[in-house]
Amino acid sequence: MLEEPPASRHHRDEEPVMLVKDLGPSAVEAELRSLSPDMSGDVRVMQSFLKMIISILQSKRDFDLAQAYSALFLKLHLQLIAEQPELMEEALRVSRLLKETWISLQTLLNQNICLLSYIKSALL
């Protein structure tokens, strides 16, 4: 599924995400390890995985999932990412989106805290 061209995946973008979400932690790690060329994977598949993370972040859902998957992916494949310019480019996009999404989330959380404080003080 990760190897399909983006046009054919348009309506099925969430299928790979749902498949990975259904796996347990050790199965996720095994799947991420198998993306590496050393384990019968391919750089294109690794690039597609990073694009899947980008898709998750752009959907504004499952931030924690995207963050956990990207952290594990970096832990497992950091050296290869540094050696492959196309992977480095996608990893930088993921990093920028993670930062932007976190800032947005943090702003929303702060707004909610302020609103709750106001409501609490208004009721007392």
Side-chain angles (χ1 to χ4, degrees), residues 44-112:
R44 286 182 333 195
V45 178
M46 294 175 76
Q47 192 174 11
S48 293
F49 180 80
L50 289 171
K51 287 179 181 181
M52 182 187 79
I53 298 295
I54 290 168
S55 170
I56 293 171
L57 291 169
Q58 289 174 335
S59 74
K60 305 277 191 224
R61 292 181 294 159
D62 298 319
F63 175 78
D64 53 339
L65 191 73
Q67 189 175 26
Y69 289 167
S70 57
L72 180 58
F73 185 82
L74 285 173
K75 177 183 168 189
L76 297 173
H77 304 296
L78 187 60
Q79 185 175 350
L80 184 60
I81 291 170
E83 295 169 358
Q84 299 290 327
E86 59 273 5
L87 289 178
M88 182 62 90
E89 184 179 324
E90 294 299 331
L92 288 172
R93 284 183 62 204
V94 167
S95 176
R96 279 191 298 271
L97 271 172
L98 278 168
K99 185 176 182 179
E100 289 170 12
T101 305
W102 173 246
I103 289 170
S104 174
L105 242 161
Q106 196 172 29
T107 301
L108 289 171
L109 288 171
N110 287 338
Q111 288 173 352
N112 284 332

Side-chain angles (χ1 to χ4, degrees), residues 3 25 29 32 35 43 71 81 91-92 107 118:
E3 294 182 29
E29 183 172 349
L32 289 183
L35 297 178
V43 172
I81 291 170
L92 288 172
T107 301
Y118 172 77

Side-chain angles (χ1 to χ4, degrees), residues 1 14-24 28 31 69:
M1 249 183 260
E14 291 194 14
E15 271 186 57
V17 177
M18 296 308 292
L19 288 172
V20 177
K21 277 174 103 172
D22 289 340
L23 299 175
V28 169
E31 287 295 323
Y69 289 167

